[in-house]
Amino acid sequence: MSSSKQEVIAITGVSSGLGLAMVKWYTSRGHVVLGCARSTQKISQLNDEFCKGNKPKQFTVVDIVNEADVKRWSEETISSFGAPTLLLNNASVTNNNLCLWQISAEEFSNVIDINIKGTTNVIRHFVPEMIKAGKGVVVNFSSGWGRSVSPHVAPYCATKWAIEGLSKALALELPAPLTCVPLNPGIINTPMLQTSFGEQGAAMQETPEKWAQTACPFILSIDRSQNGRSLTVP
């Protein structure tokens, strides 16, 4: 994928952290960014900041666990902007730091539903249109904990290991030149990291904005030659 031409980029989880940093970086380079998140307030702020005047709204309130929400979002955005050339499944949550047997069924289901089912809902409603358009890259955000494990994050590890397998299987199903990869973004100081590491996470120097300077062009460079490979932001 060329970094010089304008891309249509759909990103989930744009209200904070890496999602918001990617919105800012890609928008500042002239790309069309279509984003979703659950926060009505944050989505309103994004539309006010990036969609001034008569520009169509590019940010939508969506709960990716709700398939009807995702279907509506995909239909509205594709109708206005066409199929995305880059689909970034960034939205995810982690669990509270506890041993697996201490985590409630409700919390476990929430992590599974958002990280796996939510990602799949987005794929289900965007990828067929990308196939019709004959182009596009799907990047499913994984984690170092999708390739290794640690105590107290078993539900999160389970979902990210699942994202690795789901992405590699999808990669085999996609017709060329479409591409799918699982991407480990690295260790960045985000609210999610602070949930897992507390003060140690808050002390991390790698901010989402600094991360985006390297990660966003790297993501733009992903092409069919990397289809199905587990990638990590340099």
Side-chain angles (χ1 to χ4, degrees):
M1 180 178 289
S2 170
S3 60
S4 60
K5 68 185 182 72
Q6 186 186 67
E7 306 291 350
V8 177
I9 304 172
I11 309 175
T12 63
V14 296
S15 61
S16 65
L18 305 188
L20 180 57
M22 290 190 288
V23 167
K24 293 177 177 178
W25 194 94
Y26 286 124
T27 299
S28 71
R29 269 67 176 181
H31 300 291
V32 177
V33 179
L34 313 171
C36 79
R38 292 182 292 183
S39 169
T40 301
Q41 179 183 3
K42 295 290 182 63
I43 289 297
S44 178
Q45 291 172 350
L46 286 169
N47 280 318
D48 287 345
E49 182 176 355
F50 295 106
C51 307
K52 294 181 171 65
N54 294 322
K55 286 184 65 177
K57 302 303 184 187
Q58 294 172 216
F59 301 96
T60 308
V61 177
V62 177
D63 179 354
I64 60 170
V65 175
N66 184 322
E67 187 171 11
D69 263 15
V70 177
K71 183 175 187 291
R72 172 179 53 83
W73 178 47
S74 69
E75 290 173 347
E76 290 175 355
T77 55
I78 290 169
S79 174
S80 297
F81 301 96
T85 49
L86 191 56
L87 179 62
L88 305 182
N89 280 304
N90 161 72
S92 66
V93 295
T94 191
N95 57 277
N96 290 308
N97 274 21
L98 293 167
C99 293
L100 179 58
W101 62 87
Q102 297 172 315
I103 294 168
S104 69
E106 181 181 10
E107 182 178 1
F108 186 85
S109 292
N110 185 57
V111 176
I112 296 291
D113 287 350
I114 292 172
N115 296 6
I116 303 176
K117 295 180 183 178
T119 295
T120 304
N121 284 339
V122 175
I123 289 168
R124 183 179 297 115
H125 290 287
F126 278 95
V127 166
E129 295 300 321
M130 296 168 72
I131 292 172
K132 288 180 186 177
K135 59 184 177 180
V137 174
V138 179
V139 179
N140 296 324
F141 276 57
S142 180
S143 169
W145 284 335
R147 303 163 194 174
S148 64
V149 296
S150 290
H152 305 143
V153 285
Y156 183 76
C157 290
T159 64
K160 293 306 181 179
W161 280 72
I163 286 297
E164 291 279 327
L166 181 149
S167 301
K168 291 173 179 291
L170 176 60
L172 297 175
E173 297 167 351
L174 291 174
L178 273 78
T179 300
C180 178
V181 298
L183 177 70
N184 171 15
I187 301 174
I188 309 99
N189 185 358
T190 63
M192 185 183 298
L193 186 78
Q194 292 175 31
T195 297
S196 298
F197 288 103
E199 291 181 2
Q200 182 182 355
M204 284 292 301
Q205 297 300 307
E206 181 82 332
T207 64
E209 292 73 24
K210 184 178 178 183
W211 169 86
Q213 295 173 15
T214 299
C216 289
F218 175 75
I219 290 169
L220 285 174
S221 75
I222 297 170
D223 60 25
R224 181 72 181 187
S225 68
Q226 295 156 302
N227 189 43
R229 287 174 51 189
S230 293
L231 300 182
T232 300
V233 171

